[in-house]
Every structure is written in structure tokens, then in C-alpha cells.
Coordinates of all heavy atoms in Angstrom, one line a residue:
N1 N -13.1 6.4 -0.9 CA -13.8 5.2 -0.7 C -13.8 4.2 -1.9 O -14.7 3.4 -2.1 CB -15.3 5.5 -0.3 CG -15.3 6.3 0.9 OD1 -14.8 6.0 1.9 ND2 -15.9 7.5 0.8
K2 N -12.7 4.3 -2.7 CA -12.5 3.4 -3.8 C -11.4 2.4 -3.3 O -10.4 2.7 -2.8 CB -12.1 4.1 -5.0 CG -13.2 5.0 -5.6 CD -12.8 5.7 -6.8 CE -14.0 6.6 -7.3 NZ -13.6 7.2 -8.6
P3 N -11.7 1.1 -3.6 CA -10.7 0.1 -3.2 C -9.5 0.0 -4.0 O -9.5 0.3 -5.2 CB -11.5 -1.2 -3.3 CG -12.5 -0.9 -4.4 CD -12.8 0.5 -4.3
V4 N -8.4 -0.4 -3.3 CA -7.1 -0.5 -4.0 C -6.5 -1.9 -3.6 O -6.5 -2.3 -2.5 CB -6.1 0.5 -3.4 CG1 -4.7 0.4 -4.0 CG2 -6.6 1.9 -3.6
C5 N -6.0 -2.6 -4.7 CA -5.2 -3.8 -4.5 C -3.8 -3.4 -4.6 O -3.4 -2.9 -5.7 CB -5.6 -4.9 -5.5 SG -4.7 -6.4 -5.3
L6 N -3.0 -3.6 -3.6 CA -1.6 -3.3 -3.7 C -0.8 -4.4 -4.2 O -1.0 -5.6 -3.8 CB -1.1 -2.8 -2.3 CG -1.7 -1.6 -1.7 CD1 -1.3 -1.4 -0.3 CD2 -1.4 -0.4 -2.6
V7 N 0.2 -4.1 -5.0 CA 1.1 -5.1 -5.6 C 2.6 -4.6 -5.4 O 2.9 -3.5 -5.8 CB 0.9 -5.3 -7.1 CG1 1.8 -6.4 -7.6 CG2 -0.6 -5.7 -7.3
S8 N 3.4 -5.5 -4.8 CA 4.8 -5.2 -4.6 C 5.6 -6.1 -5.5 O 5.3 -7.3 -5.6 CB 5.2 -5.5 -3.1 OG 6.6 -5.3 -2.9
V9 N 6.5 -5.5 -6.2 CA 7.4 -6.2 -7.2 C 8.8 -6.2 -6.7 O 9.3 -5.1 -6.4 CB 7.3 -5.6 -8.6 CG1 8.2 -6.2 -9.5 CG2 5.9 -5.6 -9.1
V10 N 9.4 -7.3 -6.6 CA 10.8 -7.4 -6.0 C 11.6 -8.5 -6.7 O 11.1 -9.5 -7.1 CB 10.7 -7.7 -4.5 CG1 10.1 -9.0 -4.1 CG2 12.1 -7.5 -3.8
A11 N 12.9 -8.1 -7.0 CA 13.7 -9.1 -7.7 C 14.1 -10.3 -6.8 O 14.3 -11.4 -7.3 CB 15.0 -8.4 -8.1
G12 N 14.1 -10.1 -5.5 CA 14.5 -11.1 -4.5 C 13.3 -11.8 -3.9 O 12.3 -12.1 -4.5
I13 N 13.4 -12.0 -2.6 CA 12.4 -12.8 -1.9 C 11.6 -12.0 -0.8 O 10.8 -12.5 -0.1 CB 13.0 -14.0 -1.2 CG1 14.1 -13.6 -0.2 CG2 13.6 -15.0 -2.3 CD1 14.5 -14.7 0.7
N14 N 11.8 -10.7 -0.7 CA 11.1 -9.9 0.3 C 9.8 -9.3 -0.2 O 8.9 -10.0 -0.6 CB 12.0 -8.9 0.9 CG 11.5 -8.4 2.3 OD1 10.4 -8.8 2.7 ND2 12.4 -7.7 3.0
G15 N 9.7 -8.0 -0.3 CA 8.6 -7.4 -0.9 C 7.5 -7.0 0.1 O 6.5 -6.4 -0.4
V16 N 7.6 -7.3 1.3 CA 6.5 -7.1 2.3 C 6.5 -5.6 2.8 O 5.4 -5.1 3.1 CB 6.5 -8.0 3.5 CG1 6.3 -9.4 3.1 CG2 7.8 -7.8 4.3
Y17 N 7.6 -5.0 2.8 CA 7.7 -3.6 3.4 C 7.0 -2.6 2.6 O 6.3 -1.7 3.2 CB 9.2 -3.2 3.6 CG 9.9 -4.1 4.6 CD1 10.9 -4.9 4.2 CD2 9.5 -4.2 5.9 CE1 11.6 -5.8 5.1 CE2 10.1 -5.0 6.9 CZ 11.1 -5.8 6.4 OH 11.8 -6.6 7.3
P18 N 7.0 -2.6 1.3 CA 6.2 -1.6 0.6 C 4.7 -1.7 0.8 O 4.0 -0.7 1.0 CB 6.5 -1.8 -0.9 CG 7.8 -2.5 -0.9 CD 7.8 -3.3 0.4
I19 N 4.2 -2.9 1.0 CA 2.8 -3.1 1.3 C 2.5 -2.5 2.6 O 1.5 -1.8 2.8 CB 2.4 -4.6 1.2 CG1 2.7 -5.2 -0.2 CG2 1.0 -4.8 1.6 CD1 1.8 -4.7 -1.3
A20 N 3.3 -2.9 3.6 CA 3.0 -2.4 5.0 C 3.1 -0.9 5.1 O 2.3 -0.3 5.7 CB 4.1 -3.1 5.9
E21 N 4.1 -0.3 4.4 CA 4.3 1.1 4.4 C 3.0 1.8 3.8 O 2.5 2.8 4.4 CB 5.5 1.5 3.6 CG 5.7 3.0 3.5 CD 6.9 3.4 2.6 OE1 7.4 2.5 1.9 OE2 7.2 4.6 2.5
L22 N 2.6 1.4 2.6 CA 1.5 2.0 2.0 C 0.2 1.8 2.8 O -0.6 2.8 2.9 CB 1.3 1.4 0.6 CG 2.4 1.8 -0.4 CD1 2.2 1.0 -1.7 CD2 2.3 3.3 -0.7
K23 N 0.0 0.7 3.3 CA -1.2 0.5 4.2 C -1.2 1.3 5.4 O -2.2 1.8 5.9 CB -1.4 -1.0 4.5 CG -1.9 -1.8 3.4 CD -2.2 -3.3 3.8 CE -2.8 -4.1 2.7 NZ -3.2 -5.4 3.1
A24 N 0.0 1.6 5.9 CA 0.1 2.3 7.2 C -0.1 3.8 7.0 O -0.7 4.5 7.9 CB 1.5 2.1 7.8
N25 N 0.4 4.4 5.9 CA 0.4 5.9 5.9 C 0.2 6.5 4.5 O 0.5 7.7 4.4 CB 1.7 6.4 6.5 CG 2.9 6.0 5.8 OD1 2.9 5.7 4.6 ND2 4.0 6.0 6.5
A26 N -0.3 5.8 3.5 CA -0.5 6.4 2.2 C -1.9 6.8 1.8 O -2.1 7.5 0.8 CB 0.1 5.5 1.1
F27 N -2.9 6.5 2.6 CA -4.2 6.7 2.2 C -5.1 7.6 3.0 O -6.3 7.7 2.8 CB -4.9 5.3 2.0 CG -4.2 4.4 1.1 CD1 -3.6 3.2 1.5 CD2 -4.1 4.7 -0.2 CE1 -2.9 2.4 0.6 CE2 -3.4 3.9 -1.1 CZ -2.8 2.8 -0.7
K28 N -4.5 8.3 4.0 CA -5.3 9.1 4.9 C -6.0 10.3 4.1 O -7.2 10.4 4.2 CB -4.5 9.7 6.0 CG -5.3 10.5 7.0 CD -4.5 11.2 8.0 CE -4.0 12.6 7.7 NZ -4.9 13.6 7.2
N29 N -5.3 11.1 3.4 CA -5.9 12.2 2.8 C -6.6 11.9 1.5 O -7.6 12.6 1.2 CB -4.8 13.3 2.5 CG -4.3 13.9 3.7 OD1 -4.8 13.7 4.8 ND2 -3.2 14.7 3.6
N30 N -6.3 10.9 0.8 CA -7.0 10.6 -0.5 C -8.1 9.6 -0.2 O -8.9 9.4 -1.1 CB -6.0 10.0 -1.5 CG -5.2 8.9 -1.0 OD1 -5.8 7.9 -0.4 ND2 -3.9 8.9 -1.3
K31 N -8.2 9.1 0.9 CA -9.3 8.2 1.4 C -9.5 7.0 0.6 O -10.6 6.4 0.5 CB -10.6 9.0 1.5 CG -10.5 10.1 2.5 CD -11.9 10.8 2.6 CE -11.9 12.0 3.6 NZ -13.2 12.6 3.7
L32 N -8.5 6.5 -0.1 CA -8.5 5.2 -0.8 C -8.6 4.1 0.2 O -8.1 4.3 1.4 CB -7.3 5.0 -1.7 CG -7.3 5.9 -3.0 CD1 -5.9 5.9 -3.6 CD2 -8.3 5.5 -4.0
V33 N -9.2 3.0 -0.1 CA -9.4 1.9 0.8 C -8.6 0.7 0.4 O -9.0 0.0 -0.6 CB -10.9 1.5 0.9 CG1 -11.1 0.4 1.9 CG2 -11.7 2.7 1.3

């Protein structure tokens, strides 16, 4: 129940996929928000 601000760093112009991936499946067991 601790909040997380996600930051993606990319050399080019994309960078959206790491954010989507982490929001989709990285926080179930650790319960970060």
C-alpha cells in the first residue's frame, strides 16, 4: 500500500511499454500501488 511513481527512460521516442508492463504485472505480490 505504498505508492510508486514509475519513470521510463529511453534514448528514442517510445518508452511506454515498460510503464504498461510494470503496471500490468509487477505489483501483485509486493502490493505496491
Side-chain angles (χ1 to χ4, degrees):
N1 304 303
K2 294 184 180 183
V4 178
C5 179
L6 296 172
V7 181
S8 177
V9 174
V10 62
I13 60 169
N14 201 349
V16 298
Y17 296 115
I19 301 292
E21 176 188 7
L22 290 170
K23 284 186 176 183
N25 62 24
F27 301 117
K28 182 187 91 51
N29 289 351
N30 53 47
K31 298 184 181 182
L32 290 167
V33 180

